[in-house]
């Protein structure tokens, strides 16, 4: 009788342990599928205009594109108000908090080896961002910046692929290489605005 009780307890404990393991594997599988969907959506997401309207209060024409990636964790979009075009960027800082001063450089090295330098429009500090996926919690800091693009520079960016991006924070600079595939997407993004 005692041995039967011991066997029943062992059986129940092992069952609970198996269910916990199965639950964790299920959560990991869901996280993996979610991340794969994000990657797939990012890779097939076409460059497009997501906003094109006249502001009812100011009368300004506002045009915006969707965000696309320079590299993993570093994205950009275009924002146009009347004839002024801004490059908006977001950098995933991970667990670090970067900041950038007004006037800090964003340098773009093009396929023809020319270097374009744009200046940040305002002081920026990375913001906390989080996402709760059931039992999985994703968190990091995002640094959001914006740069005015002069007409002559915009013309260059519409006709030359970007190869490397460097931006300066208060801690130094960060350099990111742009893949051929992403360089083509960025070129298409710049062709959206006239």
């Amino acid at each position: 009788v005692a041995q039967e009780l011991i066997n029943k307890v062992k059986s129940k404990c092992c069952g609970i342990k198996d269910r916990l393991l199965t639950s964790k594997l299920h959560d990991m599988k869901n996280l993996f599928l979610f991340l794969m969907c994000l990657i797939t959506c990012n890779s097939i997401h076409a460059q497009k205009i997501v906003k094109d309207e006249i502001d009812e209060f100011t009368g300004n024409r506002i045009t915006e594109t969707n965000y696309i990636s320079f590299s993993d964790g570093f994205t950009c979009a275009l924002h146009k108000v009347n004839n002024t075009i801004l490059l908006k960027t977001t950098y995933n800082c991970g667990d670090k908090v970067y900041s950038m001063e007004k006037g800090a450089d964003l340098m773009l090295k093009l396929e023809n080896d020319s270097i374009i330098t744009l200046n940040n429009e305002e002081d920026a500090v990375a913001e906390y961002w989080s996402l709760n996926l059931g039992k999985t919690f994703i968190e990091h800091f995002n640094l959001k910046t914006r740069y005015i693009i002069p007409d002559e520079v915009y013309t260059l960016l519409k006709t030359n692929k970007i190869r490397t991006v460097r931006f300066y924070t208060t801690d130094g600079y960060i350099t990111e290489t742009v893949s051929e595939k992403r360089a083509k997407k960025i070129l298409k993004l710049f062709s959206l605005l006239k």
Side-chain angles (χ1 to χ4, degrees):
V1 174
Q3 187 60 42
E4 273 184 45
L5 284 173
I6 292 171
N7 288 340
K8 283 183 181 179
V9 169
K10 279 185 180 178
S11 170
K12 288 191 180 207
C13 288
C14 290
I16 291 170
K17 189 188 283 184
D18 289 342
R19 278 183 277 177
L20 286 173
L21 182 59
T22 303
S23 176
K24 284 184 179 183
L25 288 173
H26 181 72
D27 287 345
M28 289 178 69
K29 180 181 172 187
N30 285 342
L31 176 62
F32 176 76
L33 290 174
F34 174 76
L35 292 174
M36 290 308 296
C37 285
L38 281 178
I39 291 168
T40 302
C41 289
N42 187 36
S43 65
I44 63 171
H45 198 5
Q47 301 75 27
K48 62 183 179 181
I49 293 177
V50 295
K51 183 178 187 179
D52 189 9
E53 64 187 31
I54 304 295
D55 184 278
E56 66 178 300
F57 290 97
T58 64
N60 292 330
R61 181 180 191 101
I62 300 169
T63 309
E64 293 180 358
T65 68
N66 60 319
Y67 276 86
I68 62 170
S69 296
F70 278 122
S71 62
D72 290 338
F74 189 30
T75 61
C76 69
L78 297 174
H79 179 91
K80 183 177 180 181
V81 179
N82 295 326
N83 293 320
T84 302
I85 299 175
L86 289 164
L87 177 66
K88 294 166 53 174
T89 67
T90 301
Y91 182 71
N92 178 344
C93 308
D95 61 353
K96 296 181 182 176
V97 179
Y98 289 112
S99 61
M100 188 179 288
E101 295 177 345
K102 180 179 180 175
D105 290 344
L106 169 71
M107 301 176 82
L108 308 170
K109 185 172 184 179
L110 306 181
E111 64 186 340
N112 64 4
D113 287 332
S114 62
I115 308 274
I116 292 174
T117 302
L118 303 173
N119 301 111
N120 184 31
E121 284 295 299
E122 59 194 5
D123 291 336
V125 178
E127 301 170 351
Y128 176 76
W129 181 89
S130 66
L131 177 63
N132 190 348
L133 301 169
K135 294 181 182 178
T136 304
F137 193 68
I138 300 171
E139 58 185 345
H140 63 263
F141 290 91
N142 279 334
L143 180 63
K144 296 180 180 184
T145 55
R146 18 183 248 156
Y147 308 85
I148 291 179
I149 305 174
D151 290 340
E152 63 277 4
V153 170
Y154 192 78
T155 301
L156 283 172
L157 293 171
K158 283 176 29 177
T159 55
N160 293 280
K161 292 180 202 156
I162 299 171
R163 292 291 177 216
T164 311
V165 179
R166 175 180 286 178
F167 61 97
Y168 288 81
T169 71
T170 54
D171 291 337
Y173 65 82
I174 297 171
T175 302
E176 298 282 344
T177 301
V178 180
S179 70
E180 178 67 20
K181 183 178 177 180
R182 289 180 173 160
K184 287 179 182 177
K185 286 183 177 185
I186 294 167
L187 200 59
K188 287 180 185 175
L189 183 76
F190 280 104
S191 69
L192 291 176
L193 301 182
K194 306 288 183 223

